[in-house]
Amino acid sequence: MTNANDQRPAGNRLPPGQILTRKWPILHYGNVPIIDPARWRFRVFGAVETPFELDWAEFGALEHREVIADIHCVTRWSRLDNRFRGVPVQSILTRARPTRAARFVLVHGAPDFTTNLPLGDLDRPENLLATHHDGVPLTPEHGGPVRLTVPHLYFWKSAKWVTGFEVLEEDVPGFWEENGYHERGDPWAEERHGSDDYLRMRRGPRR
Ligand SMILES: Nc1nc2c(c(=O)[nH]1)N[C@H]1C(S)=C(S)[C@@H](COP(=O)(O)O)O[C@H]1N2
Ligand SMILES: [Mo]
């Protein structure tokens, strides 16, 4: 089991401007999709040497791991010591083999969600395609059957009902990023809102 908190500055687990909560709030845009595992697919495509798609049985057969991590939401709540279980993102990326020009990833989630992040922020050992939280399967409200967890960034990057990674050479803003959130979202640097350059990019052509 990996404890992602080992890398934290000693004695301070709470990023600036955050408040601790023991409950786990539910936050997303739109309705909760109910996903039938028989129809569930996860797709890796774009700037990769080996694009592929997994169905539920193939995903379940991959090695799963547990990671203890803190959650920091941009709406200012933090929840410490969450025990997530799932498939390490790195095993997915290793199989897909991003091209040498690959630098960003647009993460896709149901029903119509996207979030962008640098490839280096996705390609970290503590990131999971998570199926369980504190020993219990993720509820639909929290993104079940499978959500992304990227605990070192604000939690809007952790797409619920995740359906795929689109690996990219150029950055493309996702849903919340289009709506004013930061392109990276480091809670320790309070990267809540997009920079001016990023605001300009968001106004550029959409895809
Ligand atoms: N598919 C999808 N994933 C999403 C969102 C969303 O609107 N749709 N919202 C994000 C936001 S803003 C947050 S804070 C977290 C909240 O996760 P939780 O409800 O499990 O706490 O999910 C993220 N993942
Ligand atoms: Mo959020």
Short mmCIF file of all heavy atoms in Angstrom, two decimals, residues 6-57:
data_model
loop_
_atom_site.label_atom_id
_atom_site.label_comp_id
_atom_site.label_asym_id
_atom_site.label_seq_id
_atom_site.Cartn_x
_atom_site.Cartn_y
_atom_site.Cartn_z
N ASP A 6 3.22 10.56 2.63
CA ASP A 6 4.62 10.53 3.06
C ASP A 6 5.42 11.69 2.49
O ASP A 6 6.43 12.09 3.04
CB ASP A 6 5.28 9.22 2.63
CG ASP A 6 4.76 8.05 3.45
OD1 ASP A 6 4.13 8.30 4.49
OD2 ASP A 6 4.98 6.91 3.05
N GLN A 7 4.96 12.22 1.36
CA GLN A 7 5.71 13.29 0.69
C GLN A 7 5.35 14.67 1.24
O GLN A 7 5.90 15.67 0.84
CB GLN A 7 5.41 13.27 -0.81
CG GLN A 7 5.73 11.93 -1.44
CD GLN A 7 4.84 11.62 -2.63
OE1 GLN A 7 4.11 12.50 -3.09
NE2 GLN A 7 4.89 10.40 -3.11
N ARG A 8 4.39 14.73 2.13
CA ARG A 8 3.90 16.01 2.63
C ARG A 8 4.88 16.66 3.58
O ARG A 8 5.58 15.97 4.31
CB ARG A 8 2.59 15.81 3.39
CG ARG A 8 1.44 15.43 2.55
CD ARG A 8 1.05 16.57 1.64
NE ARG A 8 0.52 16.07 0.38
CZ ARG A 8 -0.64 15.46 0.25
NH1 ARG A 8 -1.40 15.27 1.29
NH2 ARG A 8 -1.05 15.05 -0.91
N PRO A 9 4.92 18.00 3.61
CA PRO A 9 5.73 18.67 4.62
C PRO A 9 5.28 18.22 6.01
O PRO A 9 4.08 18.17 6.27
CB PRO A 9 5.44 20.16 4.40
CG PRO A 9 4.32 20.25 3.42
CD PRO A 9 4.17 18.91 2.75
N ALA A 10 6.23 17.86 6.85
CA ALA A 10 5.90 17.30 8.16
C ALA A 10 5.02 18.26 8.95
O ALA A 10 5.24 19.46 8.96
CB ALA A 10 7.17 16.99 8.93
N GLY A 11 4.01 17.73 9.61
CA GLY A 11 3.21 18.53 10.52
C GLY A 11 2.13 19.35 9.87
O GLY A 11 1.25 19.84 10.55
N ASN A 12 2.16 19.53 8.55
CA ASN A 12 1.11 20.32 7.92
C ASN A 12 0.49 19.57 6.77
O ASN A 12 1.07 19.44 5.71
CB ASN A 12 1.65 21.67 7.43
CG ASN A 12 0.54 22.52 6.83
OD1 ASN A 12 -0.64 22.18 6.95
ND2 ASN A 12 0.91 23.60 6.18
N ARG A 13 -0.70 19.12 7.00
CA ARG A 13 -1.41 18.35 5.98
C ARG A 13 -2.46 19.19 5.27
O ARG A 13 -3.08 18.71 4.33
CB ARG A 13 -2.07 17.14 6.64
CG ARG A 13 -1.11 16.24 7.40
CD ARG A 13 -0.62 15.14 6.51
NE ARG A 13 -1.73 14.32 6.01
CZ ARG A 13 -2.30 13.35 6.69
NH1 ARG A 13 -1.89 13.05 7.90
NH2 ARG A 13 -3.29 12.65 6.16
N LEU A 14 -2.70 20.40 5.78
CA LEU A 14 -3.81 21.19 5.25
C LEU A 14 -3.28 22.35 4.40
O LEU A 14 -2.63 23.25 4.91
CB LEU A 14 -4.62 21.73 6.44
CG LEU A 14 -6.04 22.18 6.14
CD1 LEU A 14 -6.88 21.06 5.57
CD2 LEU A 14 -6.67 22.74 7.41
N PRO A 15 -3.57 22.33 3.09
CA PRO A 15 -3.11 23.43 2.24
C PRO A 15 -3.77 24.75 2.64
O PRO A 15 -4.80 24.77 3.31
CB PRO A 15 -3.57 23.00 0.84
CG PRO A 15 -3.81 21.55 0.92
CD PRO A 15 -4.27 21.29 2.33
N PRO A 16 -3.16 25.87 2.23
CA PRO A 16 -3.70 27.18 2.60
C PRO A 16 -5.14 27.37 2.13
O PRO A 16 -5.50 26.95 1.03
CB PRO A 16 -2.76 28.17 1.88
CG PRO A 16 -1.97 27.36 0.91
CD PRO A 16 -1.95 25.97 1.41
N GLY A 17 -5.94 27.98 2.99
CA GLY A 17 -7.32 28.31 2.63
C GLY A 17 -8.29 27.16 2.69
O GLY A 17 -9.44 27.29 2.29
N GLN A 18 -7.83 25.98 3.22
CA GLN A 18 -8.70 24.80 3.27
C GLN A 18 -9.23 24.56 4.68
O GLN A 18 -8.59 24.95 5.66
CB GLN A 18 -7.92 23.56 2.82
CG GLN A 18 -7.46 23.60 1.37
CD GLN A 18 -8.60 23.56 0.38
OE1 GLN A 18 -8.84 24.54 -0.32
NE2 GLN A 18 -9.30 22.44 0.29
N ILE A 19 -10.37 23.91 4.80
CA ILE A 19 -11.00 23.57 6.07
C ILE A 19 -11.23 22.06 6.10
O ILE A 19 -11.69 21.48 5.12
CB ILE A 19 -12.35 24.32 6.22
CG1 ILE A 19 -12.12 25.83 6.24
CG2 ILE A 19 -13.11 23.86 7.45
CD1 ILE A 19 -13.34 26.64 5.91
N LEU A 20 -10.92 21.42 7.25
CA LEU A 20 -11.07 19.97 7.36
C LEU A 20 -12.53 19.56 7.46
O LEU A 20 -13.32 20.22 8.11
CB LEU A 20 -10.36 19.46 8.61
CG LEU A 20 -8.86 19.22 8.51
CD1 LEU A 20 -8.38 18.65 9.84
CD2 LEU A 20 -8.53 18.27 7.37
N THR A 21 -12.86 18.45 6.78
CA THR A 21 -14.17 17.85 6.97
C THR A 21 -13.99 16.36 7.20
O THR A 21 -13.04 15.76 6.70
CB THR A 21 -15.10 18.10 5.75
OG1 THR A 21 -16.31 17.40 5.96
CG2 THR A 21 -14.47 17.61 4.46
N ARG A 22 -14.90 15.77 7.98
CA ARG A 22 -14.86 14.32 8.18
C ARG A 22 -15.83 13.62 7.25
O ARG A 22 -15.67 12.46 6.92
CB ARG A 22 -15.21 13.98 9.64
CG ARG A 22 -14.15 14.47 10.60
CD ARG A 22 -14.49 14.07 12.03
NE ARG A 22 -13.28 13.85 12.79
CZ ARG A 22 -12.61 12.70 12.80
NH1 ARG A 22 -13.05 11.66 12.11
NH2 ARG A 22 -11.51 12.58 13.51
N LYS A 23 -16.88 14.36 6.86
CA LYS A 23 -17.81 13.79 5.88
C LYS A 23 -17.13 13.84 4.51
O LYS A 23 -16.13 14.51 4.32
CB LYS A 23 -19.11 14.60 5.84
CG LYS A 23 -19.94 14.49 7.09
CD LYS A 23 -21.19 15.35 6.96
CE LYS A 23 -20.81 16.81 6.71
NZ LYS A 23 -21.92 17.74 6.67
N TRP A 24 -17.73 13.19 3.55
CA TRP A 24 -17.22 13.28 2.18
C TRP A 24 -18.30 13.95 1.32
O TRP A 24 -19.25 13.28 0.91
CB TRP A 24 -16.87 11.89 1.65
CG TRP A 24 -16.13 11.93 0.33
CD1 TRP A 24 -15.61 13.02 -0.30
CD2 TRP A 24 -15.84 10.81 -0.52
NE1 TRP A 24 -15.00 12.66 -1.47
CE2 TRP A 24 -15.14 11.31 -1.64
CE3 TRP A 24 -16.11 9.45 -0.44
CZ2 TRP A 24 -14.69 10.48 -2.67
CZ3 TRP A 24 -15.67 8.64 -1.47
CH2 TRP A 24 -14.97 9.14 -2.57
N PRO A 25 -18.16 15.26 1.06
CA PRO A 25 -19.16 15.95 0.25
C PRO A 25 -19.24 15.38 -1.18
O PRO A 25 -18.31 14.74 -1.64
CB PRO A 25 -18.66 17.40 0.23
CG PRO A 25 -17.75 17.52 1.41
CD PRO A 25 -17.13 16.17 1.56
N ILE A 26 -20.35 15.62 -1.82
CA ILE A 26 -20.58 15.18 -3.20
C ILE A 26 -20.70 16.42 -4.07
O ILE A 26 -21.51 17.31 -3.77
CB ILE A 26 -21.86 14.32 -3.30
CG1 ILE A 26 -21.64 12.99 -2.57
CG2 ILE A 26 -22.25 14.09 -4.76
CD1 ILE A 26 -22.92 12.21 -2.32
N LEU A 27 -19.89 16.48 -5.12
CA LEU A 27 -19.87 17.67 -5.98
C LEU A 27 -19.67 17.28 -7.43
O LEU A 27 -18.72 16.57 -7.77
CB LEU A 27 -18.67 18.55 -5.60
CG LEU A 27 -18.91 19.68 -4.63
CD1 LEU A 27 -17.96 19.56 -3.47
CD2 LEU A 27 -18.73 21.00 -5.33
N HIS A 28 -20.55 17.71 -8.28
CA HIS A 28 -20.35 17.53 -9.72
C HIS A 28 -21.38 18.36 -10.45
O HIS A 28 -22.35 18.84 -9.86
CB HIS A 28 -20.48 16.05 -10.12
CG HIS A 28 -21.75 15.43 -9.64
ND1 HIS A 28 -21.80 14.69 -8.49
CD2 HIS A 28 -23.01 15.49 -10.12
CE1 HIS A 28 -23.05 14.29 -8.29
NE2 HIS A 28 -23.80 14.78 -9.26
N TYR A 29 -21.16 18.49 -11.75
CA TYR A 29 -22.11 19.18 -12.60
C TYR A 29 -23.07 18.17 -13.22
O TYR A 29 -22.63 17.12 -13.70
CB TYR A 29 -21.35 19.94 -13.70
CG TYR A 29 -22.26 20.71 -14.60
CD1 TYR A 29 -22.78 21.93 -14.21
CD2 TYR A 29 -22.64 20.19 -15.83
CE1 TYR A 29 -23.65 22.63 -15.02
CE2 TYR A 29 -23.50 20.87 -16.66
CZ TYR A 29 -24.01 22.10 -16.24
OH TYR A 29 -24.87 22.77 -17.05
N GLY A 30 -24.34 18.44 -13.19
CA GLY A 30 -25.31 17.58 -13.88
C GLY A 30 -25.78 16.41 -13.04
O GLY A 30 -25.61 16.39 -11.82
N ASN A 31 -26.37 15.43 -13.70
CA ASN A 31 -26.96 14.28 -13.02
C ASN A 31 -25.95 13.16 -12.83
O ASN A 31 -24.98 13.07 -13.56
CB ASN A 31 -28.15 13.74 -13.82
CG ASN A 31 -29.26 14.78 -13.92
OD1 ASN A 31 -29.53 15.50 -12.97
ND2 ASN A 31 -29.87 14.87 -15.08
N VAL A 32 -26.24 12.29 -11.85
CA VAL A 32 -25.40 11.12 -11.60
C VAL A 32 -25.72 10.05 -12.64
O VAL A 32 -26.86 9.58 -12.69
CB VAL A 32 -25.66 10.57 -10.19
CG1 VAL A 32 -24.91 9.27 -9.96
CG2 VAL A 32 -25.27 11.60 -9.14
N PRO A 33 -24.76 9.69 -13.48
CA PRO A 33 -25.05 8.61 -14.44
C PRO A 33 -24.98 7.25 -13.75
O PRO A 33 -24.13 7.02 -12.89
CB PRO A 33 -23.93 8.75 -15.48
CG PRO A 33 -22.80 9.38 -14.75
CD PRO A 33 -23.39 10.20 -13.62
N ILE A 34 -25.91 6.38 -14.04
CA ILE A 34 -25.87 5.02 -13.51
C ILE A 34 -25.24 4.14 -14.59
O ILE A 34 -25.76 4.03 -15.70
CB ILE A 34 -27.27 4.52 -13.14
CG1 ILE A 34 -27.91 5.47 -12.12
CG2 ILE A 34 -27.21 3.09 -12.59
CD1 ILE A 34 -27.18 5.63 -10.81
N ILE A 35 -24.09 3.56 -14.26
CA ILE A 35 -23.30 2.88 -15.28
C ILE A 35 -23.39 1.37 -15.09
O ILE A 35 -23.10 0.85 -14.02
CB ILE A 35 -21.85 3.39 -15.24
CG1 ILE A 35 -21.87 4.86 -15.69
CG2 ILE A 35 -20.93 2.55 -16.13
CD1 ILE A 35 -20.69 5.66 -15.34
N ASP A 36 -23.80 0.71 -16.15
CA ASP A 36 -23.91 -0.74 -16.17
C ASP A 36 -22.53 -1.32 -16.49
O ASP A 36 -21.99 -1.06 -17.56
CB ASP A 36 -24.93 -1.12 -17.27
CG ASP A 36 -25.04 -2.62 -17.46
OD1 ASP A 36 -24.38 -3.37 -16.72
OD2 ASP A 36 -25.80 -3.02 -18.36
N PRO A 37 -21.95 -2.09 -15.54
CA PRO A 37 -20.61 -2.64 -15.80
C PRO A 37 -20.51 -3.41 -17.12
O PRO A 37 -19.46 -3.42 -17.76
CB PRO A 37 -20.37 -3.57 -14.61
CG PRO A 37 -21.21 -2.98 -13.52
CD PRO A 37 -22.44 -2.43 -14.21
N ALA A 38 -21.62 -4.02 -17.55
CA ALA A 38 -21.59 -4.78 -18.80
C ALA A 38 -21.31 -3.87 -19.99
O ALA A 38 -20.83 -4.32 -21.03
CB ALA A 38 -22.91 -5.52 -19.00
N ARG A 39 -21.64 -2.58 -19.84
CA ARG A 39 -21.43 -1.66 -20.96
C ARG A 39 -20.27 -0.71 -20.72
O ARG A 39 -19.96 0.14 -21.54
CB ARG A 39 -22.71 -0.83 -21.17
CG ARG A 39 -23.90 -1.72 -21.40
CD ARG A 39 -25.18 -0.90 -21.49
NE ARG A 39 -25.88 -1.26 -22.71
CZ ARG A 39 -26.36 -0.37 -23.58
NH1 ARG A 39 -26.25 0.91 -23.35
NH2 ARG A 39 -26.97 -0.78 -24.67
N TRP A 40 -19.64 -0.84 -19.55
CA TRP A 40 -18.54 0.05 -19.19
C TRP A 40 -17.33 -0.20 -20.10
O TRP A 40 -16.99 -1.35 -20.41
CB TRP A 40 -18.15 -0.19 -17.73
CG TRP A 40 -17.05 0.69 -17.21
CD1 TRP A 40 -17.19 1.90 -16.61
CD2 TRP A 40 -15.63 0.40 -17.22
NE1 TRP A 40 -15.96 2.41 -16.26
CE2 TRP A 40 -14.98 1.50 -16.63
CE3 TRP A 40 -14.86 -0.66 -17.69
CZ2 TRP A 40 -13.61 1.57 -16.47
CZ3 TRP A 40 -13.48 -0.59 -17.54
CH2 TRP A 40 -12.87 0.52 -16.94
N ARG A 41 -16.69 0.89 -20.56
CA ARG A 41 -15.46 0.79 -21.35
C ARG A 41 -14.51 1.88 -20.89
O ARG A 41 -14.94 2.96 -20.50
CB ARG A 41 -15.73 1.02 -22.84
CG ARG A 41 -16.63 0.00 -23.50
CD ARG A 41 -15.93 -1.34 -23.73
NE ARG A 41 -16.78 -2.27 -24.43
CZ ARG A 41 -17.74 -3.01 -23.87
NH1 ARG A 41 -17.98 -2.91 -22.57
NH2 ARG A 41 -18.48 -3.82 -24.59
N PHE A 42 -13.21 1.57 -20.95
CA PHE A 42 -12.20 2.60 -20.70
C PHE A 42 -11.26 2.62 -21.90
O PHE A 42 -10.71 1.60 -22.29
CB PHE A 42 -11.42 2.32 -19.41
CG PHE A 42 -10.50 3.43 -19.05
CD1 PHE A 42 -10.96 4.54 -18.35
CD2 PHE A 42 -9.17 3.42 -19.48
CE1 PHE A 42 -10.11 5.60 -18.06
CE2 PHE A 42 -8.33 4.48 -19.18
CZ PHE A 42 -8.81 5.56 -18.47
N ARG A 43 -11.07 3.82 -22.47
CA ARG A 43 -10.35 3.94 -23.73
C ARG A 43 -9.15 4.86 -23.56
O ARG A 43 -9.28 5.94 -22.97
CB ARG A 43 -11.31 4.53 -24.77
CG ARG A 43 -10.84 4.40 -26.20
CD ARG A 43 -12.06 4.48 -27.13
NE ARG A 43 -12.48 5.84 -27.42
CZ ARG A 43 -12.03 6.54 -28.46
NH1 ARG A 43 -11.15 6.04 -29.29
NH2 ARG A 43 -12.48 7.77 -28.66
N VAL A 44 -8.00 4.45 -24.09
CA VAL A 44 -6.81 5.29 -24.12
C VAL A 44 -6.49 5.55 -25.58
O VAL A 44 -6.32 4.60 -26.36
CB VAL A 44 -5.61 4.63 -23.41
CG1 VAL A 44 -4.46 5.61 -23.31
CG2 VAL A 44 -6.02 4.13 -22.03
N PHE A 45 -6.44 6.83 -25.96
CA PHE A 45 -6.30 7.16 -27.38
C PHE A 45 -5.55 8.48 -27.53
O PHE A 45 -5.19 9.11 -26.53
CB PHE A 45 -7.67 7.21 -28.06
CG PHE A 45 -8.65 8.21 -27.48
CD1 PHE A 45 -8.97 9.37 -28.18
CD2 PHE A 45 -9.25 7.99 -26.25
CE1 PHE A 45 -9.87 10.29 -27.66
CE2 PHE A 45 -10.15 8.91 -25.72
CZ PHE A 45 -10.47 10.06 -26.43
N GLY A 46 -5.32 8.90 -28.78
CA GLY A 46 -4.58 10.13 -29.03
C GLY A 46 -3.12 9.83 -29.25
O GLY A 46 -2.76 8.88 -29.95
N ALA A 47 -2.24 10.62 -28.63
CA ALA A 47 -0.79 10.56 -28.87
C ALA A 47 -0.16 9.42 -28.08
O ALA A 47 0.66 9.62 -27.18
CB ALA A 47 -0.17 11.90 -28.51
N VAL A 48 -0.54 8.18 -28.45
CA VAL A 48 0.02 6.98 -27.82
C VAL A 48 0.39 5.98 -28.92
O VAL A 48 -0.25 5.94 -29.97
CB VAL A 48 -0.95 6.32 -26.82
CG1 VAL A 48 -1.19 7.21 -25.61
CG2 VAL A 48 -2.28 5.96 -27.49
N GLU A 49 1.43 5.18 -28.65
CA GLU A 49 1.86 4.18 -29.63
C GLU A 49 0.86 3.03 -29.71
O GLU A 49 0.69 2.41 -30.75
CB GLU A 49 3.24 3.60 -29.25
CG GLU A 49 4.34 4.63 -29.04
CD GLU A 49 4.85 5.22 -30.34
OE1 GLU A 49 4.43 4.77 -31.42
OE2 GLU A 49 5.67 6.15 -30.26
N THR A 50 0.21 2.72 -28.57
CA THR A 50 -0.67 1.55 -28.49
C THR A 50 -2.02 1.93 -27.90
O THR A 50 -2.27 1.69 -26.72
CB THR A 50 -0.02 0.45 -27.60
OG1 THR A 50 1.35 0.33 -27.95
CG2 THR A 50 -0.71 -0.88 -27.78
N PRO A 51 -2.89 2.54 -28.71
CA PRO A 51 -4.22 2.84 -28.18
C PRO A 51 -4.94 1.54 -27.84
O PRO A 51 -4.71 0.51 -28.49
CB PRO A 51 -4.92 3.58 -29.33
CG PRO A 51 -4.07 3.41 -30.53
CD PRO A 51 -2.73 2.93 -30.11
N PHE A 52 -5.77 1.57 -26.79
CA PHE A 52 -6.52 0.34 -26.47
C PHE A 52 -7.78 0.69 -25.69
O PHE A 52 -7.96 1.82 -25.23
CB PHE A 52 -5.65 -0.64 -25.67
CG PHE A 52 -5.22 -0.16 -24.31
CD1 PHE A 52 -5.96 -0.48 -23.19
CD2 PHE A 52 -4.07 0.62 -24.16
CE1 PHE A 52 -5.57 -0.04 -21.93
CE2 PHE A 52 -3.68 1.06 -22.90
CZ PHE A 52 -4.43 0.73 -21.79
N GLU A 53 -8.63 -0.33 -25.57
CA GLU A 53 -9.88 -0.19 -24.84
C GLU A 53 -10.02 -1.38 -23.91
O GLU A 53 -9.66 -2.49 -24.28
CB GLU A 53 -11.05 -0.16 -25.84
CG GLU A 53 -12.35 0.26 -25.24
CD GLU A 53 -13.46 0.33 -26.28
OE1 GLU A 53 -13.97 -0.73 -26.66
OE2 GLU A 53 -13.79 1.44 -26.72
N LEU A 54 -10.51 -1.13 -22.71
CA LEU A 54 -10.72 -2.20 -21.74
C LEU A 54 -12.20 -2.33 -21.46
O LEU A 54 -12.90 -1.31 -21.32
CB LEU A 54 -10.03 -1.87 -20.41
CG LEU A 54 -8.52 -1.71 -20.42
CD1 LEU A 54 -8.06 -1.16 -19.07
CD2 LEU A 54 -7.85 -3.05 -20.71
N ASP A 55 -12.68 -3.56 -21.32
CA ASP A 55 -14.03 -3.74 -20.80
C ASP A 55 -13.92 -4.07 -19.30
O ASP A 55 -12.83 -4.13 -18.74
CB ASP A 55 -14.83 -4.77 -21.60
CG ASP A 55 -14.26 -6.17 -21.49
OD1 ASP A 55 -13.49 -6.45 -20.55
OD2 ASP A 55 -14.58 -7.01 -22.36
N TRP A 56 -15.06 -4.29 -18.68
CA TRP A 56 -15.09 -4.43 -17.22
C TRP A 56 -14.27 -5.63 -16.75
O TRP A 56 -13.54 -5.56 -15.76
CB TRP A 56 -16.56 -4.54 -16.77
CG TRP A 56 -16.72 -4.55 -15.29
CD1 TRP A 56 -17.15 -5.59 -14.52
CD2 TRP A 56 -16.42 -3.48 -14.39
NE1 TRP A 56 -17.14 -5.22 -13.20
CE2 TRP A 56 -16.71 -3.93 -13.10
CE3 TRP A 56 -15.95 -2.16 -14.57
CZ2 TRP A 56 -16.53 -3.13 -11.97
CZ3 TRP A 56 -15.77 -1.36 -13.45
CH2 TRP A 56 -16.07 -1.85 -12.17
N ALA A 57 -14.36 -6.75 -17.48
CA ALA A 57 -13.64 -7.96 -17.08
C ALA A 57 -12.13 -7.76 -17.24
O ALA A 57 -11.34 -8.16 -16.37
CB ALA A 57 -14.12 -9.15 -17.91
#
